[in-house]
Amino acid sequence: MRKIYLDNASTTQLRPEVVAEMTKILSEDFGNPSSTHSFGRSSKVLLETARKSIAKQINATASEIIFTSCGTEANNWILRSAVKDLKVERIITSKIEHHAVLHTAQVLQSEFGIAVDYVALLPNGEIDFTDLVELLSQDKKTLVSLMHVNNEIGTVLNLEKAVRISHDYNALFHTDTVQSIGKTEIDVQHLGVDFLVASAHKFHGPKGVGFAYVKKNSGLQPLFFGGEQEKGLRAGTEAVHQIAGMARALELSYEHLIEERNYISGLKSYLISQLEIDFPEFKLNGSEDGLYNIANVLLPLSDDKTGMILFHLDMKGIAVSRGSACQSGSVKPSHVLAEILDKEDVIKPSLRISFSHYNTKEDVEALMEALRSI
Ligand code: PLP
């Protein structure tokens, strides 16, 4: 059976060049980058070359890139240190952030007694900027934490505007760009963000590695202790092969960005056109202008078919994600869809279909065929 992977917002297939780079390092460059002998120095060169390359892609300076084990760690670190060390008294975020931000903010609220305010959302899941201004006008040391692209519905934040407004009110600005980096241009100098977080496995790099962009002189303190790595900000021997793989993956993503964006946008449009034919009452959850690789669709299927849909697709070798987790009856609905859909729609079957350049029109056709036969 041909297997079809349409769940690229969950994780992505590694590019062959990334695998080649990583396996070469695994077999040839095992030195610890902190060692002063030649083995260590070779690994240190690889590490610092990766740092420079990543910095270049997002117009940062190399010293502003700190490697972490994943996006979740980087989000936890920045939010926690902002409260603990930078004395932030309030976090403004939204109810549709990834749990790496939402749960961290909630823990910090109970641990440090800070305020957590949630900015209002428009019906399509976009941020209500009028409400953001309203919240910011209360005078408190604040960190605004808003994701660039939502991982479930693909809504895109106008980062430039969000940073400008936040800075107008002297708030710090953190953004989770796990779903957007490598898929859209990001220039940290131009945007002026204070903190940004990324994860390699979302842009055809390896799992278990990510990075934080931390603007110069931020005052952030470490989450872990026990080593001088990453200028003392992130103790622990660096996973050189993963870091180099991440840098290569990001280089390739930006090298091919224009052609891959056009190609993937075409696949999404094709999916929408096919849904319009077979399921004319389907709805796109979130904004019409969501990122080009994610389509979260609510399907007009009867209740008896709702529970079976993912199982049915999986049996046919097709991998997509639940848009709403209600379908099994035992799990909670998606916190994102629960915010933007009304009660009736949230229990209907929604699917998140997310593409990469490895997908084809035939994949969309196979998905449609499988959906029609439910
Ligand atoms: N933030 C967003 C928006 C995500 O989509 C994810 C992954 O699902 C994460 C953070 C977590 O990243 P990682 O898997 O690297 O911990």
mmCIF file with all atom_site columns, all heavy atoms in Angstrom, residues 207-223:
data_model
loop_
_atom_site.group_PDB
_atom_site.id
_atom_site.type_symbol
_atom_site.label_atom_id
_atom_site.label_alt_id
_atom_site.label_comp_id
_atom_site.label_asym_id
_atom_site.label_entity_id
_atom_site.label_seq_id
_atom_site.pdbx_PDB_ins_code
_atom_site.Cartn_x
_atom_site.Cartn_y
_atom_site.Cartn_z
_atom_site.occupancy
_atom_site.B_iso_or_equiv
_atom_site.pdbx_formal_charge
_atom_site.auth_seq_id
_atom_site.auth_comp_id
_atom_site.auth_asym_id
_atom_site.auth_atom_id
_atom_site.pdbx_PDB_model_num
ATOM 1   N N   . LYS A 1 207 ? 14.601 15.835 14.641 1.00 0.00 ? 207 LYS A N   1
ATOM 2   C CA  . LYS A 1 207 ? 13.907 16.073 15.914 1.00 0.00 ? 207 LYS A CA  1
ATOM 3   C C   . LYS A 1 207 ? 14.941 16.264 17.024 1.00 0.00 ? 207 LYS A C   1
ATOM 4   O O   . LYS A 1 207 ? 16.090 15.870 16.875 1.00 0.00 ? 207 LYS A O   1
ATOM 5   C CB  . LYS A 1 207 ? 13.002 14.894 16.253 1.00 0.00 ? 207 LYS A CB  1
ATOM 6   C CG  . LYS A 1 207 ? 11.854 14.789 15.288 1.00 0.00 ? 207 LYS A CG  1
ATOM 7   C CD  . LYS A 1 207 ? 11.060 13.527 15.509 1.00 0.00 ? 207 LYS A CD  1
ATOM 8   C CE  . LYS A 1 207 ? 10.034 13.372 14.406 1.00 0.00 ? 207 LYS A CE  1
ATOM 9   N NZ  . LYS A 1 207 ? 10.641 13.383 13.033 1.00 0.00 ? 207 LYS A NZ  1
ATOM 10  N N   . GLY A 1 208 ? 14.487 16.838 18.116 1.00 0.00 ? 208 GLY A N   1
ATOM 11  C CA  . GLY A 1 208 ? 15.368 16.970 19.278 1.00 0.00 ? 208 GLY A CA  1
ATOM 12  C C   . GLY A 1 208 ? 16.345 18.127 19.182 1.00 0.00 ? 208 GLY A C   1
ATOM 13  O O   . GLY A 1 208 ? 17.358 18.126 19.864 1.00 0.00 ? 208 GLY A O   1
ATOM 14  N N   . VAL A 1 209 ? 16.050 19.092 18.351 1.00 0.00 ? 209 VAL A N   1
ATOM 15  C CA  . VAL A 1 209 ? 16.910 20.284 18.285 1.00 0.00 ? 209 VAL A CA  1
ATOM 16  C C   . VAL A 1 209 ? 16.096 21.488 17.811 1.00 0.00 ? 209 VAL A C   1
ATOM 17  O O   . VAL A 1 209 ? 15.211 21.371 16.972 1.00 0.00 ? 209 VAL A O   1
ATOM 18  C CB  . VAL A 1 209 ? 18.167 20.047 17.390 1.00 0.00 ? 209 VAL A CB  1
ATOM 19  C CG1 . VAL A 1 209 ? 17.801 19.800 15.939 1.00 0.00 ? 209 VAL A CG1 1
ATOM 20  C CG2 . VAL A 1 209 ? 19.169 21.184 17.525 1.00 0.00 ? 209 VAL A CG2 1
ATOM 21  N N   . GLY A 1 210 ? 16.392 22.614 18.423 1.00 0.00 ? 210 GLY A N   1
ATOM 22  C CA  . GLY A 1 210 ? 15.721 23.861 18.054 1.00 0.00 ? 210 GLY A CA  1
ATOM 23  C C   . GLY A 1 210 ? 16.650 25.003 18.396 1.00 0.00 ? 210 GLY A C   1
ATOM 24  O O   . GLY A 1 210 ? 17.801 24.781 18.771 1.00 0.00 ? 210 GLY A O   1
ATOM 25  N N   . PHE A 1 211 ? 16.155 26.215 18.242 1.00 0.00 ? 211 PHE A N   1
ATOM 26  C CA  . PHE A 1 211 ? 16.984 27.344 18.681 1.00 0.00 ? 211 PHE A CA  1
ATOM 27  C C   . PHE A 1 211 ? 16.099 28.502 19.114 1.00 0.00 ? 211 PHE A C   1
ATOM 28  O O   . PHE A 1 211 ? 14.913 28.566 18.789 1.00 0.00 ? 211 PHE A O   1
ATOM 29  C CB  . PHE A 1 211 ? 17.972 27.782 17.580 1.00 0.00 ? 211 PHE A CB  1
ATOM 30  C CG  . PHE A 1 211 ? 17.358 28.437 16.371 1.00 0.00 ? 211 PHE A CG  1
ATOM 31  C CD1 . PHE A 1 211 ? 17.103 29.799 16.327 1.00 0.00 ? 211 PHE A CD1 1
ATOM 32  C CD2 . PHE A 1 211 ? 17.020 27.680 15.251 1.00 0.00 ? 211 PHE A CD2 1
ATOM 33  C CE1 . PHE A 1 211 ? 16.542 30.401 15.206 1.00 0.00 ? 211 PHE A CE1 1
ATOM 34  C CE2 . PHE A 1 211 ? 16.460 28.268 14.126 1.00 0.00 ? 211 PHE A CE2 1
ATOM 35  C CZ  . PHE A 1 211 ? 16.217 29.641 14.105 1.00 0.00 ? 211 PHE A CZ  1
ATOM 36  N N   . ALA A 1 212 ? 16.733 29.359 19.902 1.00 0.00 ? 212 ALA A N   1
ATOM 37  C CA  . ALA A 1 212 ? 16.073 30.598 20.287 1.00 0.00 ? 212 ALA A CA  1
ATOM 38  C C   . ALA A 1 212 ? 16.894 31.742 19.719 1.00 0.00 ? 212 ALA A C   1
ATOM 39  O O   . ALA A 1 212 ? 18.129 31.682 19.722 1.00 0.00 ? 212 ALA A O   1
ATOM 40  C CB  . ALA A 1 212 ? 16.012 30.702 21.806 1.00 0.00 ? 212 ALA A CB  1
ATOM 41  N N   . TYR A 1 213 ? 16.218 32.751 19.200 1.00 0.00 ? 213 TYR A N   1
ATOM 42  C CA  . TYR A 1 213 ? 16.879 34.018 18.897 1.00 0.00 ? 213 TYR A CA  1
ATOM 43  C C   . TYR A 1 213 ? 16.623 34.891 20.117 1.00 0.00 ? 213 TYR A C   1
ATOM 44  O O   . TYR A 1 213 ? 15.463 35.082 20.530 1.00 0.00 ? 213 TYR A O   1
ATOM 45  C CB  . TYR A 1 213 ? 16.270 34.658 17.637 1.00 0.00 ? 213 TYR A CB  1
ATOM 46  C CG  . TYR A 1 213 ? 16.531 36.155 17.586 1.00 0.00 ? 213 TYR A CG  1
ATOM 47  C CD1 . TYR A 1 213 ? 17.766 36.643 17.169 1.00 0.00 ? 213 TYR A CD1 1
ATOM 48  C CD2 . TYR A 1 213 ? 15.561 37.067 18.002 1.00 0.00 ? 213 TYR A CD2 1
ATOM 49  C CE1 . TYR A 1 213 ? 18.022 38.008 17.160 1.00 0.00 ? 213 TYR A CE1 1
ATOM 50  C CE2 . TYR A 1 213 ? 15.811 38.431 17.993 1.00 0.00 ? 213 TYR A CE2 1
ATOM 51  C CZ  . TYR A 1 213 ? 17.038 38.896 17.570 1.00 0.00 ? 213 TYR A CZ  1
ATOM 52  O OH  . TYR A 1 213 ? 17.293 40.241 17.587 1.00 0.00 ? 213 TYR A OH  1
ATOM 53  N N   . VAL A 1 214 ? 17.696 35.358 20.712 1.00 0.00 ? 214 VAL A N   1
ATOM 54  C CA  . VAL A 1 214 ? 17.574 36.201 21.906 1.00 0.00 ? 214 VAL A CA  1
ATOM 55  C C   . VAL A 1 214 ? 18.322 37.496 21.605 1.00 0.00 ? 214 VAL A C   1
ATOM 56  O O   . VAL A 1 214 ? 19.547 37.488 21.433 1.00 0.00 ? 214 VAL A O   1
ATOM 57  C CB  . VAL A 1 214 ? 18.191 35.477 23.132 1.00 0.00 ? 214 VAL A CB  1
ATOM 58  C CG1 . VAL A 1 214 ? 18.159 36.371 24.359 1.00 0.00 ? 214 VAL A CG1 1
ATOM 59  C CG2 . VAL A 1 214 ? 17.443 34.171 23.405 1.00 0.00 ? 214 VAL A CG2 1
ATOM 60  N N   . LYS A 1 215 ? 17.585 38.586 21.520 1.00 0.00 ? 215 LYS A N   1
ATOM 61  C CA  . LYS A 1 215 ? 18.194 39.869 21.133 1.00 0.00 ? 215 LYS A CA  1
ATOM 62  C C   . LYS A 1 215 ? 19.322 40.228 22.096 1.00 0.00 ? 215 LYS A C   1
ATOM 63  O O   . LYS A 1 215 ? 19.209 39.982 23.298 1.00 0.00 ? 215 LYS A O   1
ATOM 64  C CB  . LYS A 1 215 ? 17.118 40.957 21.157 1.00 0.00 ? 215 LYS A CB  1
ATOM 65  C CG  . LYS A 1 215 ? 17.461 42.176 20.350 1.00 0.00 ? 215 LYS A CG  1
ATOM 66  C CD  . LYS A 1 215 ? 16.570 43.336 20.745 1.00 0.00 ? 215 LYS A CD  1
ATOM 67  C CE  . LYS A 1 215 ? 15.653 43.743 19.628 1.00 0.00 ? 215 LYS A CE  1
ATOM 68  N NZ  . LYS A 1 215 ? 14.629 44.687 20.054 1.00 0.00 ? 215 LYS A NZ  1
ATOM 69  N N   . LYS A 1 216 ? 20.363 40.820 21.541 1.00 0.00 ? 216 LYS A N   1
ATOM 70  C CA  . LYS A 1 216 ? 21.544 41.214 22.322 1.00 0.00 ? 216 LYS A CA  1
ATOM 71  C C   . LYS A 1 216 ? 21.167 41.938 23.612 1.00 0.00 ? 216 LYS A C   1
ATOM 72  O O   . LYS A 1 216 ? 20.217 42.721 23.634 1.00 0.00 ? 216 LYS A O   1
ATOM 73  C CB  . LYS A 1 216 ? 22.358 42.179 21.445 1.00 0.00 ? 216 LYS A CB  1
ATOM 74  C CG  . LYS A 1 216 ? 23.818 41.839 21.362 1.00 0.00 ? 216 LYS A CG  1
ATOM 75  C CD  . LYS A 1 216 ? 24.526 42.816 20.447 1.00 0.00 ? 216 LYS A CD  1
ATOM 76  C CE  . LYS A 1 216 ? 24.620 42.212 19.078 1.00 0.00 ? 216 LYS A CE  1
ATOM 77  N NZ  . LYS A 1 216 ? 24.431 42.909 17.927 1.00 0.00 ? 216 LYS A NZ  1
ATOM 78  N N   . ASN A 1 217 ? 21.920 41.695 24.665 1.00 0.00 ? 217 ASN A N   1
ATOM 79  C CA  . ASN A 1 217 ? 21.729 42.371 25.966 1.00 0.00 ? 217 ASN A CA  1
ATOM 80  C C   . ASN A 1 217 ? 20.329 42.194 26.554 1.00 0.00 ? 217 ASN A C   1
ATOM 81  O O   . ASN A 1 217 ? 19.809 43.106 27.188 1.00 0.00 ? 217 ASN A O   1
ATOM 82  C CB  . ASN A 1 217 ? 22.019 43.882 25.846 1.00 0.00 ? 217 ASN A CB  1
ATOM 83  C CG  . ASN A 1 217 ? 23.402 44.145 25.302 1.00 0.00 ? 217 ASN A CG  1
ATOM 84  O OD1 . ASN A 1 217 ? 24.344 43.409 25.621 1.00 0.00 ? 217 ASN A OD1 1
ATOM 85  N ND2 . ASN A 1 217 ? 23.535 45.140 24.453 1.00 0.00 ? 217 ASN A ND2 1
ATOM 86  N N   . SER A 1 218 ? 19.732 41.040 26.313 1.00 0.00 ? 218 SER A N   1
ATOM 87  C CA  . SER A 1 218 ? 18.365 40.830 26.813 1.00 0.00 ? 218 SER A CA  1
ATOM 88  C C   . SER A 1 218 ? 18.323 40.647 28.338 1.00 0.00 ? 218 SER A C   1
ATOM 89  O O   . SER A 1 218 ? 17.320 40.904 28.961 1.00 0.00 ? 218 SER A O   1
ATOM 90  C CB  . SER A 1 218 ? 17.777 39.570 26.170 1.00 0.00 ? 218 SER A CB  1
ATOM 91  O OG  . SER A 1 218 ? 18.420 38.428 26.726 1.00 0.00 ? 218 SER A OG  1
ATOM 92  N N   . GLY A 1 219 ? 19.413 40.178 28.910 1.00 0.00 ? 219 GLY A N   1
ATOM 93  C CA  . GLY A 1 219 ? 19.424 39.925 30.357 1.00 0.00 ? 219 GLY A CA  1
ATOM 94  C C   . GLY A 1 219 ? 18.865 38.564 30.744 1.00 0.00 ? 219 GLY A C   1
ATOM 95  O O   . GLY A 1 219 ? 18.759 38.233 31.925 1.00 0.00 ? 219 GLY A O   1
ATOM 96  N N   . LEU A 1 220 ? 18.522 37.747 29.743 1.00 0.00 ? 220 LEU A N   1
ATOM 97  C CA  . LEU A 1 220 ? 17.970 36.408 30.033 1.00 0.00 ? 220 LEU A CA  1
ATOM 98  C C   . LEU A 1 220 ? 18.998 35.554 30.785 1.00 0.00 ? 220 LEU A C   1
ATOM 99  O O   . LEU A 1 220 ? 20.195 35.645 30.525 1.00 0.00 ? 220 LEU A O   1
ATOM 100 C CB  . LEU A 1 220 ? 17.625 35.729 28.703 1.00 0.00 ? 220 LEU A CB  1
ATOM 101 C CG  . LEU A 1 220 ? 16.229 35.124 28.574 1.00 0.00 ? 220 LEU A CG  1
ATOM 102 C CD1 . LEU A 1 220 ? 15.156 36.162 28.865 1.00 0.00 ? 220 LEU A CD1 1
ATOM 103 C CD2 . LEU A 1 220 ? 16.022 34.545 27.194 1.00 0.00 ? 220 LEU A CD2 1
ATOM 104 N N   . GLN A 1 221 ? 18.526 34.735 31.704 1.00 0.00 ? 221 GLN A N   1
ATOM 105 C CA  . GLN A 1 221 ? 19.390 33.846 32.491 1.00 0.00 ? 221 GLN A CA  1
ATOM 106 C C   . GLN A 1 221 ? 19.046 32.396 32.139 1.00 0.00 ? 221 GLN A C   1
ATOM 107 O O   . GLN A 1 221 ? 17.963 32.130 31.639 1.00 0.00 ? 221 GLN A O   1
ATOM 108 C CB  . GLN A 1 221 ? 19.175 34.097 33.988 1.00 0.00 ? 221 GLN A CB  1
ATOM 109 C CG  . GLN A 1 221 ? 19.543 35.516 34.437 1.00 0.00 ? 221 GLN A CG  1
ATOM 110 C CD  . GLN A 1 221 ? 21.017 35.825 34.202 1.00 0.00 ? 221 GLN A CD  1
ATOM 111 O OE1 . GLN A 1 221 ? 21.893 35.037 34.558 1.00 0.00 ? 221 GLN A OE1 1
ATOM 112 N NE2 . GLN A 1 221 ? 21.282 36.958 33.541 1.00 0.00 ? 221 GLN A NE2 1
ATOM 113 N N   . PRO A 1 222 ? 19.956 31.461 32.429 1.00 0.00 ? 222 PRO A N   1
ATOM 114 C CA  . PRO A 1 222 ? 19.706 30.069 31.997 1.00 0.00 ? 222 PRO A CA  1
ATOM 115 C C   . PRO A 1 222 ? 18.564 29.370 32.719 1.00 0.00 ? 222 PRO A C   1
ATOM 116 O O   . PRO A 1 222 ? 18.187 29.744 33.831 1.00 0.00 ? 222 PRO A O   1
ATOM 117 C CB  . PRO A 1 222 ? 21.017 29.356 32.297 1.00 0.00 ? 222 PRO A CB  1
ATOM 118 C CG  . PRO A 1 222 ? 21.722 30.207 33.283 1.00 0.00 ? 222 PRO A CG  1
ATOM 119 C CD  . PRO A 1 222 ? 21.278 31.608 33.049 1.00 0.00 ? 222 PRO A CD  1
ATOM 120 N N   . LEU A 1 223 ? 18.060 28.336 32.035 1.00 0.00 ? 223 LEU A N   1
ATOM 121 C CA  . LEU A 1 223 ? 17.057 27.450 32.632 1.00 0.00 ? 223 LEU A CA  1
ATOM 122 C C   . LEU A 1 223 ? 17.777 26.275 33.298 1.00 0.00 ? 223 LEU A C   1
ATOM 123 O O   . LEU A 1 223 ? 17.360 25.779 34.335 1.00 0.00 ? 223 LEU A O   1
ATOM 124 C CB  . LEU A 1 223 ? 16.146 26.939 31.509 1.00 0.00 ? 223 LEU A CB  1
ATOM 125 C CG  . LEU A 1 223 ? 14.965 26.050 31.822 1.00 0.00 ? 223 LEU A CG  1
ATOM 126 C CD1 . LEU A 1 223 ? 13.931 26.774 32.681 1.00 0.00 ? 223 LEU A CD1 1
ATOM 127 C CD2 . LEU A 1 223 ? 14.286 25.597 30.510 1.00 0.00 ? 223 LEU A CD2 1
#
